[in-house]
Amino acid sequence: MDLQILSQKSILEKLIEEKLKPYVKKIDTDAFYAEGFLRKLGEAGLLSSLNKSKKEYLLNEMYLVEETAKVCMTTAFCLWCHLAALTYVRQTKNNKLKERLLSSLEKGEILAGTGLSNPMKYYAGLEKLHLSAKPVEGGYLLSGVLPSVSNLGEDHWFGCIAGIKEGNDIMCFVPCNAEGLKMKEKIDYLGINGSATYACSFTDVFVPDEWVLSENAKEYVEQIRPAFLLYQIPLGLGVTQASITSIEKVCQKQNGCNQFLKKQPDDLRAIEHDIQQKLQSLFNGDSLNFRDIAKIRLKAAYLTLEAVQESMLHNGSAGYIQDSAPSRRLREAYFFANLTPTVKHLEKVLNG
């Protein structure tokens, strides 16, 4: 391991210890948004793709998500949102947009969300497209409602896809302060309420050509989907590892009766290790195969659900307290299973 990687790991550990751990309960119970932690990651250079290959920055950033998810998956999910948005800007051919925003996004000066839950379901044949676009001079007018977009704030941006009545769908990058855009915060979820999630209502929002990521959204989604999905897998792996650790801590509880439960830490760790191996092997080829990534993402979702349930069983009544770490991870895992692409979405893609 070279000195640069060691230094980055040390910086990340320090940021998690100082800027995230003290706020985990507040994030979970009071819908606190750990914006400061996300900005510090960028400020520390941990989101920079400068002088890195695509493989290098993908692996580096997947590690950031995994380590964050061990402590707080809500914040790791926000980080995933930002990384997905970074992917949109990194891969666009709109150089004006890239020159304006990429550096600021990587430095954490600007944070961003994804906005692609509905379009991903649309392209899989699960939903209709919620946004429409009308071509006008110098750009488009967008109308419609996105029910849930996360990691948003007054000065944040997010990606979205809108359909044109006669023509291709377009993919745009829109600031939260755009005229005609109204946002309503959503904090009534079972968990992850500290994810800065909003319903976004568009009423003739003018999107200039400089904000258009692609004028062929379907084709563009094919390009960004691998990274979009890869960044999600460490969300589950981080929660799984934290659950295994929590099981090990209570192995002697009640005179060691946990040994009689059918699933033990080694069983879970073996599956987690297999997923990690498969994840690493994806990078051995020249390109990333979406179906291979989807299979790993689905396996990670099922493992995460199993790991948090076992953690609840092993922890017993101590885990059945509303703000306990095992119950928080249980709620996080159910969110992960329903994060687009959901378990049923992935099952349809892979087996439908």
Side-chain angles (χ1 to χ4, degrees):
M1 190 178 293
D2 65 34
L3 289 174
Q4 186 179 5
I5 294 173
L6 277 171
S7 173
Q8 288 180 340
K9 285 192 173 187
S10 175
I11 292 167
L12 177 61
E13 286 171 7
K14 190 171 188 288
L15 288 177
I16 288 174
E17 197 65 37
E18 295 178 0
K19 302 295 180 181
L20 183 58
K21 279 187 179 179
Y23 305 102
V24 173
K25 281 200 175 182
K26 192 176 180 183
I27 292 165
D28 186 45
T29 60
D30 300 336
F32 176 75
Y33 172 45
E35 181 177 350
F37 172 75
L38 299 173
R39 291 193 185 277
K40 286 291 182 183
L41 291 177
E43 191 179 301
L46 298 180
L47 304 177
S48 174
S49 61
L50 190 66
N51 300 322
K52 293 176 186 171
S53 66
K54 186 176 180 180
K55 175 182 175 179
E56 286 173 332
Y57 71 69
L58 278 172
L59 287 171
N60 286 351
E61 290 164 355
M62 286 164 66
Y63 175 77
L64 297 181
V65 175
E66 187 173 313
E67 291 300 304
T68 304
K70 287 179 186 178
V71 176
C72 175
M73 202 197 77
T74 299
T75 304
F77 164 61
C78 290
L79 175 56
W80 168 76
C81 292
H82 186 71
L83 292 171
L86 259 178
T87 300
Y88 309 158
V89 177
R90 282 170 176 166
Q91 297 201 32
T92 186
K93 291 178 181 174
N94 184 339
N95 288 326
K96 280 189 178 179
L97 180 62
K98 190 180 288 188
E99 286 167 11
R100 177 181 174 184
L101 294 176
L102 182 57
S103 177
S104 295
L105 287 164
E106 291 194 341
K107 290 176 181 176
E109 295 166 352
I110 294 174
L111 297 177
T114 66
L116 258 61
S117 179
N118 165 243
M120 289 293 186
K121 291 171 185 168
Y122 166 67
Y123 290 124
L126 305 180
E127 291 184 355
K128 292 181 179 179
L129 200 58
H130 291 338
L131 296 185
S132 62
K134 179 184 175 184
V136 293
E137 187 177 347
Y140 300 87
L141 293 177
L142 268 58
S143 295
V145 177
L146 294 178
S148 298
V149 185
S150 302
N151 201 47
L152 299 188
E154 285 185 12
D155 58 347
H156 294 39
W157 288 63
F158 63 98
C160 62
I161 289 176
I164 302 172
K165 198 169 186 180
E166 295 175 7
N168 291 322
D169 307 326
I170 60 165
M171 183 162 171
C172 314
F173 208 56
V174 180
C176 289
N177 60 9
E179 190 175 345
L181 175 62
K182 291 185 178 178
M183 303 192 339
K184 184 179 180 182
E185 190 172 14
K186 300 178 76 171
I187 51 171
D188 57 351
Y189 294 111
L190 182 67
I192 65 104
N193 286 312
S195 58
T197 298
Y198 292 81
C200 298
S201 177
F202 292 71
T203 305
D204 288 335
V205 174
F206 178 62
V207 173
D209 292 328
E210 299 91 77
W211 296 355
V212 176
L213 291 158
S214 174
E215 292 190 315
N216 188 337
K218 187 176 182 181
E219 187 180 275
Y220 195 63
V221 164
E222 295 292 319
Q223 296 173 37
I224 61 172
R225 264 194 327 178
F228 182 95
L229 205 52
L230 273 171
Y231 285 131
Q232 289 184 354
I233 296 169
L235 291 170
L237 295 179
V239 172
T240 295
Q241 289 166 26
S243 296
I244 292 170
T245 300
S246 80
I247 292 170
E248 290 172 333
K249 285 180 179 177
V250 296
C251 65
Q252 298 302 321
K253 194 175 183 180
Q254 294 179 330
N255 291 324
C257 71
N258 280 348
Q259 67 184 297
F260 298 105
L261 289 168
K262 289 182 179 179
K263 287 284 182 179
Q264 295 296 322
D266 286 349
D267 301 316
L268 298 168
R269 190 174 282 107
I271 303 170
E272 193 259 340
H273 180 72
D274 180 61
I275 292 174
Q276 293 279 16
Q277 293 294 104
K278 285 185 168 67
L279 201 50
Q280 292 298 320
S281 70
L282 289 173
F283 291 90
N284 293 337
D286 295 328
S287 61
L288 293 162
N289 182 280
F290 176 74
R291 282 186 68 85
D292 290 342
I293 300 169
K295 287 176 187 175
I296 297 171
R297 165 68 168 84
L298 183 59
K299 191 171 183 179
Y302 283 130
L303 173 62
T304 308
L305 289 170
E306 185 176 27
V308 296
Q309 176 165 294
E310 289 303 324
S311 175
M312 289 294 289
L313 293 175
H314 281 256
N315 277 276
S317 59
Y320 200 66
I321 297 169
Q322 192 166 358
D323 65 351
S324 72
S327 72
R328 170 174 55 80
R329 286 191 285 266
L330 184 77
R331 289 179 280 109
E332 289 173 339
Y334 277 101
F335 170 76
F336 182 56
N338 284 288
L339 172 62
T340 301
T342 63
V343 164
K344 57 190 175 185
H345 181 163
L346 288 165
E347 290 282 15
K348 180 181 185 291
V349 168
L350 294 169
N351 303 309

